[in-house]
PDB file of all heavy atoms in Angstrom:
ATOM      1  N   TYR Y 194      25.125  24.493  18.111  1.00  0.00           N
ATOM      2  CA  TYR Y 194      24.185  23.944  17.136  1.00  0.00           C
ATOM      3  C   TYR Y 194      24.904  23.753  15.813  1.00  0.00           C
ATOM      4  O   TYR Y 194      25.598  24.652  15.328  1.00  0.00           O
ATOM      5  CB  TYR Y 194      23.027  24.934  16.953  1.00  0.00           C
ATOM      6  CG  TYR Y 194      21.887  24.414  16.118  1.00  0.00           C
ATOM      7  CD1 TYR Y 194      20.854  23.691  16.696  1.00  0.00           C
ATOM      8  CD2 TYR Y 194      21.839  24.671  14.749  1.00  0.00           C
ATOM      9  CE1 TYR Y 194      19.804  23.230  15.939  1.00  0.00           C
ATOM     10  CE2 TYR Y 194      20.788  24.201  13.981  1.00  0.00           C
ATOM     11  CZ  TYR Y 194      19.774  23.476  14.579  1.00  0.00           C
ATOM     12  OH  TYR Y 194      18.729  23.017  13.824  1.00  0.00           O
ATOM     13  N   PHE Y 195      24.747  22.582  15.207  1.00  0.00           N
ATOM     14  CA  PHE Y 195      25.391  22.307  13.932  1.00  0.00           C
ATOM     15  C   PHE Y 195      24.318  22.246  12.854  1.00  0.00           C
ATOM     16  O   PHE Y 195      23.474  21.348  12.876  1.00  0.00           O
ATOM     17  CB  PHE Y 195      26.160  20.985  13.998  1.00  0.00           C
ATOM     18  CG  PHE Y 195      27.268  21.022  15.015  1.00  0.00           C
ATOM     19  CD1 PHE Y 195      27.010  20.777  16.365  1.00  0.00           C
ATOM     20  CD2 PHE Y 195      28.552  21.351  14.635  1.00  0.00           C
ATOM     21  CE1 PHE Y 195      28.021  20.833  17.301  1.00  0.00           C
ATOM     22  CE2 PHE Y 195      29.574  21.418  15.574  1.00  0.00           C
ATOM     23  CZ  PHE Y 195      29.307  21.154  16.910  1.00  0.00           C
ATOM     24  N   GLY Y 196      24.334  23.220  11.981  1.00  0.00           N
ATOM     25  CA  GLY Y 196      23.305  23.247  10.948  1.00  0.00           C
ATOM     26  C   GLY Y 196      23.572  24.345   9.947  1.00  0.00           C
ATOM     27  O   GLY Y 196      24.655  24.934   9.917  1.00  0.00           O
ATOM     28  N   ARG Y 197      22.550  24.605   9.142  1.00  0.00           N
ATOM     29  CA  ARG Y 197      22.657  25.680   8.157  1.00  0.00           C
ATOM     30  C   ARG Y 197      22.159  26.978   8.783  1.00  0.00           C
ATOM     31  O   ARG Y 197      21.558  26.967   9.840  1.00  0.00           O
ATOM     32  CB  ARG Y 197      21.822  25.346   6.912  1.00  0.00           C
ATOM     33  CG  ARG Y 197      22.310  24.150   6.148  1.00  0.00           C
ATOM     34  CD  ARG Y 197      21.518  23.955   4.880  1.00  0.00           C
ATOM     35  NE  ARG Y 197      22.028  24.765   3.784  1.00  0.00           N
ATOM     36  CZ  ARG Y 197      21.384  25.760   3.215  1.00  0.00           C
ATOM     37  NH1 ARG Y 197      20.188  26.118   3.626  1.00  0.00           N
ATOM     38  NH2 ARG Y 197      21.928  26.436   2.224  1.00  0.00           N
ATOM     39  N   TYR Y 198      22.419  28.083   8.088  1.00  0.00           N
ATOM     40  CA  TYR Y 198      21.949  29.357   8.627  1.00  0.00           C
ATOM     41  C   TYR Y 198      20.434  29.448   8.507  1.00  0.00           C
ATOM     42  O   TYR Y 198      19.775  30.165   9.223  1.00  0.00           O
ATOM     43  CB  TYR Y 198      22.640  30.523   7.910  1.00  0.00           C
ATOM     44  CG  TYR Y 198      24.139  30.364   7.936  1.00  0.00           C
ATOM     45  CD1 TYR Y 198      24.882  30.281   6.767  1.00  0.00           C
ATOM     46  CD2 TYR Y 198      24.793  30.231   9.148  1.00  0.00           C
ATOM     47  CE1 TYR Y 198      26.264  30.092   6.815  1.00  0.00           C
ATOM     48  CE2 TYR Y 198      26.170  30.034   9.206  1.00  0.00           C
ATOM     49  CZ  TYR Y 198      26.897  29.968   8.029  1.00  0.00           C
ATOM     50  OH  TYR Y 198      28.248  29.764   8.085  1.00  0.00           O
ATOM     51  N   GLU Y 199      19.878  28.727   7.538  1.00  0.00           N
ATOM     52  CA  GLU Y 199      18.418  28.611   7.428  1.00  0.00           C
ATOM     53  C   GLU Y 199      18.110  27.260   6.798  1.00  0.00           C
ATOM     54  O   GLU Y 199      19.007  26.623   6.242  1.00  0.00           O
ATOM     55  CB  GLU Y 199      17.860  29.753   6.554  1.00  0.00           C
ATOM     56  CG  GLU Y 199      18.497  29.793   5.187  1.00  0.00           C
ATOM     57  CD  GLU Y 199      18.054  30.985   4.358  1.00  0.00           C
ATOM     58  OE1 GLU Y 199      17.426  31.889   4.915  1.00  0.00           O
ATOM     59  OE2 GLU Y 199      18.325  30.979   3.159  1.00  0.00           O
ATOM     60  N   ASP Y 200      16.856  26.842   6.861  1.00  0.00           N
ATOM     61  CA  ASP Y 200      16.481  25.561   6.274  1.00  0.00           C
ATOM     62  C   ASP Y 200      16.833  25.535   4.791  1.00  0.00           C
ATOM     63  O   ASP Y 200      16.791  26.570   4.123  1.00  0.00           O
ATOM     64  CB  ASP Y 200      14.972  25.329   6.412  1.00  0.00           C
ATOM     65  CG  ASP Y 200      14.599  24.898   7.817  1.00  0.00           C
ATOM     66  OD1 ASP Y 200      15.417  25.108   8.728  1.00  0.00           O
ATOM     67  OD2 ASP Y 200      13.497  24.343   7.989  1.00  0.00           O
ATOM     68  N   GLY Y 201      17.107  24.375   4.278  1.00  0.00           N
ATOM     69  CA  GLY Y 201      17.377  24.249   2.843  1.00  0.00           C
ATOM     70  C   GLY Y 201      18.361  23.133   2.595  1.00  0.00           C
ATOM     71  O   GLY Y 201      19.050  22.694   3.519  1.00  0.00           O
ATOM     72  N   PRO Y 202      18.420  22.654   1.351  1.00  0.00           N
ATOM     73  CA  PRO Y 202      19.325  21.542   1.065  1.00  0.00           C
ATOM     74  C   PRO Y 202      20.784  21.942   1.236  1.00  0.00           C
ATOM     75  O   PRO Y 202      21.159  23.073   0.902  1.00  0.00           O
ATOM     76  CB  PRO Y 202      19.013  21.191  -0.396  1.00  0.00           C
ATOM     77  CG  PRO Y 202      18.238  22.321  -0.935  1.00  0.00           C
ATOM     78  CD  PRO Y 202      17.627  23.060   0.193  1.00  0.00           C
ATOM     79  N   LEU Y 203      21.578  21.035   1.769  1.00  0.00           N
ATOM     80  CA  LEU Y 203      23.007  21.283   1.893  1.00  0.00           C
ATOM     81  C   LEU Y 203      23.590  21.389   0.496  1.00  0.00           C
ATOM     82  O   LEU Y 203      23.299  20.576  -0.372  1.00  0.00           O
ATOM     83  CB  LEU Y 203      23.656  20.145   2.675  1.00  0.00           C
ATOM     84  CG  LEU Y 203      23.364  20.174   4.174  1.00  0.00           C
ATOM     85  CD1 LEU Y 203      23.667  18.835   4.805  1.00  0.00           C
ATOM     86  CD2 LEU Y 203      24.157  21.269   4.854  1.00  0.00           C
ATOM     87  N   GLU Y 204      24.394  22.420   0.286  1.00  0.00           N
ATOM     88  CA  GLU Y 204      24.855  22.711  -1.080  1.00  0.00           C
ATOM     89  C   GLU Y 204      25.962  21.784  -1.559  1.00  0.00           C
ATOM     90  O   GLU Y 204      26.082  21.502  -2.736  1.00  0.00           O
ATOM     91  CB  GLU Y 204      25.338  24.170  -1.151  1.00  0.00           C
ATOM     92  CG  GLU Y 204      24.197  25.160  -1.188  1.00  0.00           C
ATOM     93  CD  GLU Y 204      24.625  26.552  -0.768  1.00  0.00           C
ATOM     94  OE1 GLU Y 204      25.841  26.815  -0.710  1.00  0.00           O
ATOM     95  OE2 GLU Y 204      23.727  27.366  -0.477  1.00  0.00           O
ATOM     96  N   SER Y 205      26.797  21.339  -0.647  1.00  0.00           N
ATOM     97  CA  SER Y 205      27.959  20.570  -1.076  1.00  0.00           C
ATOM     98  C   SER Y 205      27.541  19.228  -1.670  1.00  0.00           C
ATOM     99  O   SER Y 205      26.678  18.534  -1.130  1.00  0.00           O
ATOM    100  CB  SER Y 205      28.878  20.319   0.116  1.00  0.00           C
ATOM    101  OG  SER Y 205      29.832  19.351  -0.215  1.00  0.00           O
ATOM    102  N   PRO Y 206      28.160  18.827  -2.783  1.00  0.00           N
ATOM    103  CA  PRO Y 206      27.854  17.506  -3.338  1.00  0.00           C
ATOM    104  C   PRO Y 206      28.492  16.368  -2.546  1.00  0.00           C
ATOM    105  O   PRO Y 206      28.448  15.220  -2.975  1.00  0.00           O
ATOM    106  CB  PRO Y 206      28.434  17.585  -4.759  1.00  0.00           C
ATOM    107  CG  PRO Y 206      29.482  18.627  -4.694  1.00  0.00           C
ATOM    108  CD  PRO Y 206      29.069  19.598  -3.636  1.00  0.00           C
TER     109      PRO Y 206
END
Side-chain angles (χ1 to χ4, degrees):
Chain Y
Y194 188 87
F195 298 83
R197 295 185 85 246
Y198 307 120
E199 56 185 12
D200 283 18
L203 286 163
E204 284 160 14
S205 167

